[in-house]
Amino acid sequence: MNRKYYRKTKNDTKRTILVIIATLAVSLLICVSAYGIYLIKKAESAVDTAYEPAGNLNENIEPLTDNISILFIGVDDSAERNQSNNNIRSDALVLATLNNEDKSIKLVSIPRDTYTFIPDSGKEDKITHAYAYNGPSSTIESVENLLEVPVDYYLRMNFDAFIEVIDALGGIKVEVPYDIIEQDENDSQNAIELKEGIQFLNGSEALALARTRHYDNDIERGKRQQMILESIMNRAVSAGSITKYGDVFEAVGDNMKTDLTFKNISSLFEYAKNGKPDVETITLDGYDDMSTGIYYYKLKEESLLEIQDILQSHLGLKADTSNLTQMESDLELADFPIEESETPQ
């Protein structure tokens, strides 16, 4: 064989392979860019549909630079409950505070039977009843009054949206605390059966785990809701979920309302650009009260004050006293010299 011909053929083959690879790379880049544009448009449309101001003062708040708070409101407006706008109650309340400096998140679950002042009713009642007065606005005011922090944004989601978002993400991984047999979202008895341990749940199963009140109490229920919300966050920021965002936006539809704009939501991705943000869950400590013949969950004053302080510090509304407290504790210990018998060996 002619060596010049062989070399030429070999070089042509290499060039052809390089051209094919380059073409495929460019095509892939175009496809990814086109899909990205498609997702953005779909997201904008979904957020525009869901956008509904609640009257809270957030005009000067910028999620990209400010510390913010978001109230997640879960409601049951299903036909099975025969709910109307005048008697819908919040089934789940979780306040998230986001610190922009360290990209950390604190989640506080508020038990639905928490006894607190409802500004729109002018009296104390279960916080779940606040929603019936003036929707998200009444619930926001009640939470602000209870925790003494501003609620900058809200996100209201019904059971359909909850189920469909989780299904669109391909399910979530959570730790089921015990065996559960529960009704589903259509009130079909014993339709959901879960085993204790780490499980991968679909939307209906996750809702049953979040809602059940038969196996523990409202505090543990709140912890389960915090865990599920954190699992949804983890799933949403994972690389494998990117291709599912279109389905997520499709699922939202009319089943979610929020006063977050598309720009606001886009800014929140800053919290996940370096992976999962630091998330801390907080529980309100209280006790059961039946002294009036009606069940209420009454908060312990000391616990409430402590959580108010934590949230205010996390939002930068006051100085963080946690380090000062630790320093004072260290100084107190320093006042007591260590005896020889107490010296570590």
Side-chain angles (χ1 to χ4, degrees):
M1 180 182 287
N2 186 300
R3 289 187 176 181
K4 288 185 178 179
Y5 175 77
Y6 174 75
R7 287 173 182 165
K8 184 177 179 182
T9 303
K10 188 175 182 180
N11 289 337
D12 287 346
T13 301
K14 287 181 178 178
R15 289 193 191 96
T16 301
I17 292 172
L18 288 174
V19 169
I20 292 172
I21 291 174
T23 302
L24 288 173
V26 171
S27 299
L28 181 61
L29 182 61
I30 291 172
C31 289
V32 170
S33 300
Y35 184 67
I37 293 171
Y38 163 77
L39 285 181
I40 290 172
K41 293 298 182 184
K42 200 163 190 177
E44 284 184 301
S45 176
V47 174
D48 286 346
T49 300
Y51 185 72
E52 188 174 282
N56 46 322
L57 302 177
N58 58 18
E59 292 88 351
N60 299 319
I61 301 296
E62 175 51 64
L64 194 60
T65 56
D66 297 326
N67 301 326
I68 66 168
S69 61
I70 304 173
L71 181 63
F72 294 89
I73 307 173
V75 300
D76 180 4
D77 57 3
S78 60
E80 287 78 6
R81 293 286 185 278
N82 194 27
Q83 301 275 30
S84 68
N85 289 332
N86 296 324
N87 66 359
I88 293 176
R89 299 176 181 179
S90 57
D91 197 66
L93 285 177
V94 179
L95 180 70
T97 58
L98 292 77
N99 184 282
N100 197 276
E101 183 177 355
D102 59 15
K103 296 295 185 287
S104 62
I105 300 173
K106 295 189 187 298
L107 297 177
V108 183
S109 178
I110 305 171
R112 54 176 287 158
D113 293 324
T114 298
Y115 188 71
T116 189
F117 182 72
I118 310 295
D120 278 346
S121 73
K123 62 181 181 180
E124 292 180 306
D125 199 350
K126 297 180 180 183
I127 200 165
T128 183
H129 294 162
Y131 195 94
Y133 288 97
N134 194 24
S137 175
S138 294
T139 300
I140 288 169
E141 287 185 0
S142 300
V143 171
E144 288 179 332
N145 181 76
L146 175 66
L147 298 179
E148 295 192 358
V149 293
V151 173
D152 299 312
Y153 300 101
Y154 82 94
L155 190 151
R156 169 212 186 267
M157 186 178 289
N158 67 12
F159 289 171
D160 290 336
F162 181 89
I163 292 170
E164 290 173 14
V165 165
I166 291 177
D167 286 343
L169 287 170
I172 57 172
K173 184 169 70 173
V174 299
E175 184 169 359
V176 180
Y178 28 67
D179 291 352
I180 290 175
I181 299 178
E182 188 58 78
Q183 65 184 28
D184 64 10
E185 65 276 13
N186 299 314
D187 291 346
S188 298
Q189 297 298 315
N190 304 328
I192 304 294
E193 185 172 353
L194 304 176
K195 295 296 183 182
E196 179 182 355
I198 296 176
Q199 307 286 336
F200 209 79
L201 306 184
N202 62 29
S204 293
E205 293 167 336
L207 180 64
L209 178 61
R211 292 181 66 198
T212 185
R213 305 175 76 184
H214 303 144
Y215 296 87
D216 42 40
N217 53 46
D218 263 354
I219 290 299
E220 295 305 316
R221 185 173 187 257
K223 290 178 181 178
R224 282 185 268 115
Q225 291 170 354
Q226 289 171 323
M227 173 186 65
I228 289 170
L229 184 56
E230 188 174 355
S231 296
I232 292 173
M233 290 180 189
N234 293 342
R235 187 69 170 163
V237 301
S238 67
S241 294
I242 293 174
T243 57
K244 299 173 182 176
Y245 284 172
D247 294 333
V248 172
F249 298 137
E250 190 81 30
V252 169
D254 295 324
N255 296 318
M256 187 183 86
K257 294 298 177 185
T258 183
D259 56 353
L260 285 159
T261 65
F262 178 71
K263 180 184 176 183
N264 295 151
I265 293 173
S266 300
S267 300
L268 295 178
F269 279 95
E270 284 291 309
Y271 281 79
K273 71 176 183 179
N274 294 321
K276 175 192 170 187
D278 177 30
V279 179
E280 178 188 357
T281 57
I282 299 173
T283 300
L284 287 163
D285 191 17
Y287 57 94
D288 301 332
D289 182 87
M290 282 287 295
S291 59
T292 63
I294 300 172
Y295 173 75
Y296 295 105
Y297 185 73
K298 293 194 174 179
L299 302 181
K300 294 180 180 178
E301 187 68 19
E302 184 178 355
S303 171
L304 178 59
L305 290 173
E306 180 182 6
I307 289 172
Q308 289 172 348
D309 183 72
I310 290 171
L311 297 180
Q312 290 167 6
S313 298
H314 194 236
L315 289 172
L317 301 175
K318 62 180 292 185
D320 186 352
T321 58
S322 58
N323 290 334
L324 179 62
T325 303
Q326 184 61 47
M327 288 173 59
E328 290 173 348
S329 178
D330 291 343
L331 286 172
E332 287 174 4
L333 289 173
D335 290 339
F336 298 94
I338 299 176
E339 302 292 339
E340 286 188 17
S341 60
E342 298 174 329
T343 305
Q345 300 299 318

